[in-house]
Amino acid sequence: MLQRYWFGDIDEEGCRPAGTDPAALAERAAELRTGMDSFVPIDWEIARDCGVVRTREEYVDLLRSVCTALARQKIARAYQGRDVELLQMVRMLDELDNVINLLQERAAEWYQVTNPSFSRKYRSLPAKKMLGIVRKGARGGLSDVADEIERLTGTRSRLMREVSARADEVMPNTSALIGGLVAARLLSRAGGLPALARMPGSTIQVLGSERALFSHLRGGTPPPKHGIIFQHRRVHNAPRPVRGRVARVLAAKLAIAARLDYYRGEAVPEFLKDAQARIDDAGVEA
């Protein structure tokens, strides 16, 4: 009976070593499949008798090199995923949002020191208008900060368009249902397309509302009806009595869309047509 190990094959005729190249052995180890019910740990002496190593120290060193090579191969394959770059793009977009919001707040507080009458106005102004007022009356370092905020805002707008376009390529079905930007944010919160494709609709529905969910579990507050998907017009524009139902139906269709994106990687018109119709029906008040 043939027994396959990471370092060679053993049968009635003896042992055939597979060499000592860590990269080649790593590829071999990745192909091995052993059920845990029949798994039996091997002794290093088997590798010695096979002629692969001479001492236990050599066995451990070679095994460590093989494991390192195997880990590098898996990491390289993971970075080749279609969703990896999109994931980083969304996270960078979120960081830009945080930086811009913080700088705008600090700039307004700085401007308020030299213009006390501004204190009651800026809080209720749109960020763009508030920044324009600051830029007109600012001087020196504050003027430079306002210019930098405006430049970062332009960078954010361009990156947002790139994120949406990239999501259309990576997640064609999900993007068709909720738009590229919201689809990308779902992907980011899930941790990648494989993770999103494994999630049921009930999880996708509240993805992004973890704080409200924990508050419900701990304190008995009302459970959240939606998370990130609330950003989509189908949910936040739905009449309040049916908003939860719309979120539930949309999330169920998103779960299917994510699986189609992961396993097929292309838009499925028949599914999208049916999904759009069912979501529209859910938004009609009884």
Side-chain angles (χ1 to χ4, degrees), residues 23-35:
L25 292 175
E27 293 182 1
R28 174 185 174 85
E31 297 174 354
L32 295 178
R33 296 291 183 271
T34 302

Side-chain angles (χ1 to χ4, degrees), residues 24-242:
L25 292 175
E27 293 182 1
R28 174 185 174 85
E31 297 174 354
L32 295 178
R33 296 291 183 271
T34 302
M36 295 307 298
D37 54 344
S38 60
F39 174 74
V40 178
I42 62 173
D43 294 326
W44 74 269
E45 288 91 347
I46 299 177
R48 180 196 60 191
D49 297 340
C50 198
V52 179
V53 296
R54 293 171 296 180
T55 64
R56 186 178 185 279
E57 288 73 17
E58 289 184 5
Y59 176 82
V60 172
D61 289 342
L62 181 58
L63 181 58
R64 183 184 297 112
S65 299
V66 171
C67 292
T68 301
L70 185 60
R72 288 175 176 170
Q73 291 176 7
K74 290 184 176 181
I75 292 172
R77 284 194 294 269
Y79 280 138
Q80 292 174 0
R82 295 181 299 120
D83 61 325
V84 175
E85 184 180 12
L86 177 59
L87 195 62
Q88 296 302 322
M89 292 169 68
V90 177
R91 290 173 178 173
M92 178 60 73
L93 183 62
D94 290 340
E95 291 298 332
L96 278 175
D97 284 339
N98 293 335
V99 170
I100 291 172
N101 291 335
L102 179 60
L103 289 177
Q104 285 177 338
E105 183 178 349
R106 291 290 180 267
E109 292 178 354
W110 185 354
Y111 185 73
Q112 179 183 335
V113 172
T114 57
N115 297 270
S117 61
F118 183 65
S119 60
R120 294 184 178 180
K121 300 178 181 178
Y122 85 93
R123 293 289 182 184
S124 59
L125 291 175
K128 186 175 182 180
K129 186 175 182 180
M130 182 272 292
L131 184 60
I133 295 175
V134 172
R135 291 188 68 212
K136 288 181 180 179
R139 60 182 181 275
L142 181 55
S143 178
D144 294 338
V145 170
D147 290 340
E148 188 67 20
I149 295 174
E150 186 174 25
R151 188 185 69 81
L152 286 174
T153 302
T155 300
R156 178 194 178 278
S157 297
R158 291 190 295 273
L159 179 56
M160 188 166 57
R161 290 192 292 270
E162 289 184 17
V163 167
S164 183
R166 180 63 174 163
D168 290 343
E169 298 175 3
V170 176
M171 312 167 65
N173 294 283
T174 307
S175 295
L177 290 181
I178 57 172
L181 191 59
V182 182
R185 292 196 182 282
L186 277 178
L187 176 84
S188 176
R189 187 55 64 96
L193 186 55
L196 184 63
R198 290 192 295 269
M199 288 183 176
S202 57
T203 301
I204 294 177
Q205 181 178 345
V206 296
L207 199 62
S209 62
E210 287 78 9
R211 290 185 179 180
L213 182 60
F214 290 149
S215 177
H216 163 68
L217 295 175
R218 291 180 178 178
T221 58
K225 296 181 179 179
H226 37 61
I228 293 174
I229 62 175
F230 182 75
Q231 299 175 19
H232 187 53
R233 59 177 178 78
R234 288 182 179 274
V235 179
H236 68 245
N237 287 345
R240 186 174 293 274
V242 299

